[in-house]
Amino acid sequence: MELTPRLQAIASQVPVGARVADVGTDHGYLPVWLLLNGRIDWAIAADLREGPLNHAKKTAQNFGITDQMSFRLCDGLNGIYPDEVDTVVIAGMGGETISSILSGAPWTKRETALLLQPMTHLPELRHWLQHNGYAILNEQTIREGKRLYSIWSVRGGTMPPMSPAELWAGRSSKDPLRREYLAYMRGKAERAMRGQKAASAPDLAMIGELEAVLSGLDQMEGELSTMTTVGEVFTFLQEKAPFELQADFDNSGFLVGRENAAVSKILVSLDITEPVVQEAVEQGAQLIVAHHPVIFGGTKTITDQTETGRIVLQMVENGISAICAHTNLDAAEGGVNEALALRLGLTDIGQLHQDGVDRQGRPYGIGRVGLVPEQPLYDFAMAVKRLLSANGIRLVDGGRPAHKIAVGGGACASMMGDALALGCDTFITSDVKYNHFLEAKAFGLNLIDAGHFPTENVVCPVLQEWLMQRFPQVTTSISQRHHEVFSYL
């Protein structure tokens, strides 16, 4: 099940383990997705109309999770009790409707996280929130089709008075779509101004307010900087896949270059090789974002006498920086293993081995587990080869059809015990040793070695999408020269 960009952005802000009420649920897509992906254990889907609520029930039935949801036919939050939820989502409604719903539920000011996505009357809603005991903690702009949507994280509290321009466009932020959003709000303010001036009886007070809005938007636009730096990219990747999650042996991080160097082009690659660096030079890229560290294994010198030395020298001489996210990206939510599971069509995806939760409350750990429709092992193995564009695969038949699948991008054969403990019949990884194949056969586990490059290169499109969403002003491409290094005869 896939969400629209607007709903996906809202879902990403719902705390793990939250008790959620989705007000105006309309088909129930958001709570159903959160439940299917293990982000929450229970949710309320509420709507004023029977039709949308019935659609939500049907969605939950289709995915077999009606026992994890409560369906409420109610006006706003009138049918929901304060001790039932800690997070409330109100999306796709007008600002006046949202303020009316919150007016009827003053308990939302007490320890309740609010995720609001107003469709209209945004200045009025901001004004109402700041005068009624609520604080806007963050605003995120999302593009869906040709429209821009603003998603607000709100809690009970106080916030400084907002200027006329801030009531229209929110406070200044580093939102990647901030400039585009300011232009969008400017267009609305200018249309309102033209309407007032063309009226038979112009509202002079409104004209004065709109003049203040336009002047403030000018100042906001002037404060924006178009330059992106290597340090900003590193900070963003730290948010997506915290570098403190890396294994003790690893060397992930900002490895080559200057933190304040400007970036207009990024090249994404699984590895940083001499051909990849040359590709970056020809493209005019100032930064390479890679999975495997360019400096690894106790390198002590940087000279032209070693491969690592030549690569680093070529980068430095051409002003190219390197950020490498290795085992932290293996373990992080949305990283290598999740990308691998999704590429192979797994559903009901969960952790193969959870090591903990990061500072944002997101679970992390190497490997994923999920389901595919039950099928003969060799049919599934051929699908794996095709979906990963692998030159070849090695496998051992454990004597069972493929249904419950464990995946571990890269060399994860040592995690067979985790796969068996979770009742998996098939494990997909790479760099499998002879003894691992023998053990898998003995335990009745189907073991597929699909290659290191194919099982990890799936993360490159993910990195590209992350970077394009966060830095739309930067051109981000995937290396076309880096491929699987060996063939099968």
Side-chain angles (χ1 to χ4, degrees):
M1 178 181 182
E2 293 187 7
L3 296 177
T4 63
R6 178 177 64 94
L7 290 180
Q8 184 63 61
I10 296 171
S12 68
Q13 296 189 44
V14 173
V16 174
R19 292 173 290 123
V20 178
D22 183 26
V23 179
T25 190
D26 190 22
H27 289 83
Y29 294 138
L30 177 66
V32 168
W33 186 92
L34 290 168
L35 289 164
L36 287 175
N37 285 272
R39 293 293 297 267
I40 61 174
D41 298 319
W42 184 79
I44 297 174
D47 208 287
L48 179 64
R49 299 167 296 163
E50 287 190 10
L53 200 62
N54 288 334
H55 288 314
K57 292 178 181 178
K58 183 64 180 254
T59 302
Q61 289 169 358
N62 289 341
F63 288 96
I65 57 170
T66 51
D67 59 334
Q68 295 175 265
M69 294 181 65
S70 176
F71 302 91
R72 308 284 174 87
L73 185 65
C74 60
D75 185 0
L77 289 162
N78 289 340
I80 298 171
Y81 297 100
D83 59 353
E84 291 186 288
V85 298
D86 54 37
T87 303
V88 172
V89 177
I90 310 176
M93 299 185 190
E96 292 177 334
T97 301
I98 294 175
S99 61
S100 176
I101 290 172
L102 296 178
S103 293
W107 53 267
T108 55
K109 299 177 191 178
R110 303 188 300 270
E111 303 300 324
T112 302
L114 299 172
L115 292 172
L116 310 179
Q117 185 267 298
M119 299 293 287
T120 59
H121 297 97
L122 278 68
E124 292 82 0
L125 180 56
R126 289 190 183 93
H127 182 272
W128 185 90
L129 290 170
Q130 76 167 358
H131 286 89
N132 286 274
Y134 294 91
I136 301 174
L137 306 181
N138 182 59
E139 297 191 21
Q140 180 183 9
T141 306
I142 292 296
R143 182 191 291 109
E144 186 171 298
K146 295 183 179 180
R147 292 201 59 172
L148 293 176
Y149 297 94
S150 188
I151 299 167
W152 306 352
S153 175
V154 177
R155 280 190 179 270
T158 60
M159 57 180 171
M162 304 183 83
S163 69
E166 288 172 338
L167 288 174
W168 274 68
R171 298 196 187 280
S172 180
S173 71
K174 291 188 176 182
D175 192 306
L177 295 176
R178 181 65 174 171
R179 186 177 296 278
E180 191 172 339
Y181 184 65
L182 290 176
Y184 171 69
M185 298 310 295
R186 166 178 288 284
K188 295 189 70 171
E190 288 174 342
R191 287 192 293 274
M193 177 72 84
R194 288 195 296 269
Q196 285 295 332
K197 291 182 175 180
S200 56
D203 185 334
L204 297 181
M206 178 58 72
I207 289 176
E209 182 177 327
L210 289 170
E211 287 175 344
V213 169
L214 290 168
S215 175
L217 292 176
D218 280 343
Q219 183 176 350
M220 287 180 178
E221 290 175 340
E223 292 171 352
L224 288 178
S225 172
T226 59
M227 185 183 74
T228 299
T229 66
V230 173
E232 288 173 334
V233 176
F234 178 75
T235 298
F236 168 68
L237 291 174
Q238 165 71 12
E239 295 171 2
K240 300 295 288 186
F243 286 88
E244 61 266 23
L245 303 185
Q246 66 180 290
D248 293 340
F249 65 83
D250 202 4
N251 191 39
S252 295
F254 172 34
L255 302 186
V256 179
R258 296 184 182 276
E259 183 179 16
N260 293 324
V263 176
S264 62
K265 292 184 179 180
I266 299 174
L267 183 64
V268 175
S269 180
L270 188 69
D271 300 276
I272 301 179
T273 64
E274 291 184 72
V276 169
V277 177
Q278 184 58 38
E279 185 178 11
V281 172
E282 293 172 7
Q283 290 186 7
Q286 301 88 7
L287 173 64
I288 300 175
V289 174
H291 179 46
H292 293 131
V294 64
I295 301 174
F296 199 66
T299 297
K300 295 183 179 180
T301 62
I302 300 297
T303 72
D304 61 0
Q305 302 303 301
T306 66
E307 182 184 11
T308 297
R310 289 191 295 272
I311 291 170
V312 173
L313 286 173
Q314 188 181 8
M315 295 181 71
V316 171
E317 290 165 356
N318 287 280
I320 299 172
S321 301
I323 298 173
C324 302
H326 188 207
T327 51
N328 57 313
L329 191 59
D330 287 326
E333 182 177 82
V336 172
N337 285 285
E338 205 151 316
L340 178 57
L342 290 170
R343 177 68 65 87
L344 296 178
L346 273 60
T347 60
D348 298 325
I349 297 170
Q351 299 278 158
L352 175 58
H353 180 86
Q354 183 170 332
D355 292 320
V357 295
D358 65 19
R359 294 180 182 178
Q360 300 180 50
R362 300 172 300 189
Y364 71 88
I366 302 295
R368 294 293 184 271
V369 175
L371 303 175
V372 298
E374 186 170 307
Q375 57 196 280
L377 171 63
Y378 286 89
D379 291 349
F380 178 64
M382 290 303 294
V384 170
K385 178 182 177 182
R386 173 177 54 82
L387 291 167
L388 299 184
S389 299
N391 290 340
I393 60 174
R394 299 185 298 156
L395 76 160
V396 89
D397 187 344
R400 292 190 284 171
H403 176 55
K404 188 168 186 180
I405 313 297
V407 299
C412 294
S414 61
M415 300 182 72
M416 282 195 300
D418 295 281
L420 288 165
L422 291 176
C424 295
D425 50 68
T426 304
F427 186 25
I428 302 166
T429 185
S430 74
D431 301 346
V432 177
K433 294 182 179 179
Y434 177 68
N435 63 293
H436 291 139
F437 279 123
L438 290 176
E439 291 169 5
K441 185 73 173 179
F443 286 124
L445 177 69
N446 304 321
L447 181 58
I448 298 176
D449 183 335
H452 204 113
F453 180 92
T455 59
E456 292 193 329
N457 196 55
V458 290
V459 81
C460 288
V462 173
L463 285 170
Q464 182 189 35
E465 181 64 22
W466 286 355
L467 293 165
M468 289 173 62
Q469 287 285 335
R470 176 61 182 84
F471 304 103
Q473 70 276 21
V474 175
T475 301
T476 304
S477 59
I478 298 174
S479 173
Q480 300 301 303
R481 295 188 187 174
H482 189 43
H483 303 287
E484 175 67 274
V485 70
F486 58 83
S487 302
Y488 293 84
L489 298 178

